[in-house]
Amino acid sequence: MFRKLRKFTGLFLVLLAVLLLAAWEVRGREMVLMDDVLAAQEDIAPGEALDVSMVRVVSVPGNTLIADAVTPKTLESVTGMIVTDKIPAGGQISERVLSARSQDVIRDESFFVLIRGWILMRSSSLRRGDHVEIATADGSADFGIYRVAFVKDDQDREVEDIANGGLIRSGDQGEGRVNGTSMIDHVEIICTPDAYKQIREYAEGQGAPSLILIRREDR
């Protein structure tokens, strides 16, 4: 009787182990090693306002999680924010490519890139949120003052400051901007398509860097 009970117990433990292994493979591994994040349902273009219909929840391995990934828990707080860089279908969504709508972007405005080949001079302390006056090197034109959406390096990563967790405090005139995370390659400004067209046509027509970006006081 004892032998039969021991045999039955052994079979039960083997069966239990198989079931637990199957459960681990089906769901356990995902629960322990995977993270739920939001991904784009389809390509999302810069300038679009993020909406719940544009995203879906996906589980990804923890080691593939992007910086500042938007999760189901944080979706509500970023809904309605403006997408500043193209997000490909299936790509994870990071808070780094989202900007508050508020007064930053008004009707008919969007985010436009001033490429390195157009810029003759700009301050190395330039950061997101600054205002810049865009003028020509020869003094022939002044395209106005625009708000900076992003300052990025040659890998399309935002240039931030090492101090203060990468944040720039209002009124900081440069003393807190001496240690950037990388070198500035290009700048994204907020403007209308017509304003950008004028800047681009002038810059492309020069055949050499010709724009000067002059940092102005926050308005």
Side-chain angles (χ1 to χ4, degrees):
M1 179 68 179
F2 180 71
R3 184 176 295 177
K4 288 183 178 180
L5 181 60
R6 226 175 30 171
K7 184 177 180 180
F8 175 78
T9 302
L11 290 173
F12 175 75
L13 291 175
V14 171
L15 179 60
L16 180 61
V18 171
L19 291 174
L20 289 175
L21 179 61
W24 165 259
E25 292 296 334
V26 172
R27 184 59 180 167
R29 186 187 300 276
E30 181 177 336
M31 292 177 63
V32 176
L33 303 178
M34 308 286 277
D35 292 297
D36 285 343
V37 296
L38 297 183
Q41 288 273 27
E42 54 188 28
D43 289 350
I44 303 177
E48 291 192 67
L50 190 69
D51 184 81
V52 293
S53 64
M54 299 176 175
V55 303
R56 58 189 174 91
V57 179
V58 297
S59 295
V60 299
N63 61 356
T64 65
L65 198 66
I66 64 173
D68 299 323
V70 178
T71 68
K73 291 182 179 179
T74 58
L75 173 59
E76 185 176 353
S77 66
V78 299
T79 297
M81 295 182 74
I82 302 300
V83 176
T84 61
D85 279 316
K86 179 180 177 180
I87 305 174
Q92 295 180 50
I93 299 173
S94 170
E95 292 186 18
R96 295 189 177 189
V97 299
L98 301 176
S99 176
R101 179 187 292 272
S102 62
Q103 75 280 9
D104 291 351
V105 182
I106 60 176
R107 186 178 179 183
D108 296 332
E109 287 188 332
S110 191
F111 297 81
F112 294 96
V113 177
L114 303 178
I115 65 174
R116 181 176 59 181
W118 299 349
I119 303 172
L120 176 65
M121 187 180 300
R122 47 82 188 148
S123 170
S124 61
S125 69
L126 200 63
R127 298 291 184 267
R128 184 209 313 194
D130 288 343
H131 285 88
V132 291
E133 180 180 355
I134 302 176
T136 62
D138 61 7
S140 63
D142 188 317
F143 297 105
I145 298 176
Y146 302 93
R147 187 171 179 84
V148 175
F150 282 102
V151 178
K152 296 192 174 183
D153 62 17
D154 59 1
Q155 299 298 313
D156 209 37
R157 297 170 301 201
E158 184 178 7
V159 177
E160 300 175 302
D161 287 281
I162 295 174
N164 302 323
L167 298 176
I168 290 296
R169 293 188 174 92
S170 177
D172 183 351
Q173 297 304 310
E175 61 273 13
R177 303 170 183 237
V178 296
N179 293 311
T181 54
S182 52
M183 296 290 291
I184 296 174
D185 180 78
H186 58 280
V187 176
E188 296 182 28
I189 61 170
I190 300 172
C191 66
T192 64
D194 286 343
Y196 181 71
K197 181 180 179 182
Q198 292 181 16
I199 297 170
R200 186 193 67 207
E201 288 181 347
Y202 174 85
E204 290 180 343
Q206 299 307 301
S210 56
L211 299 179
I212 297 178
L213 275 54
I214 308 165
R215 183 168 171 260
R216 297 303 188 189
E217 294 294 326
D218 291 345
R219 299 187 299 174

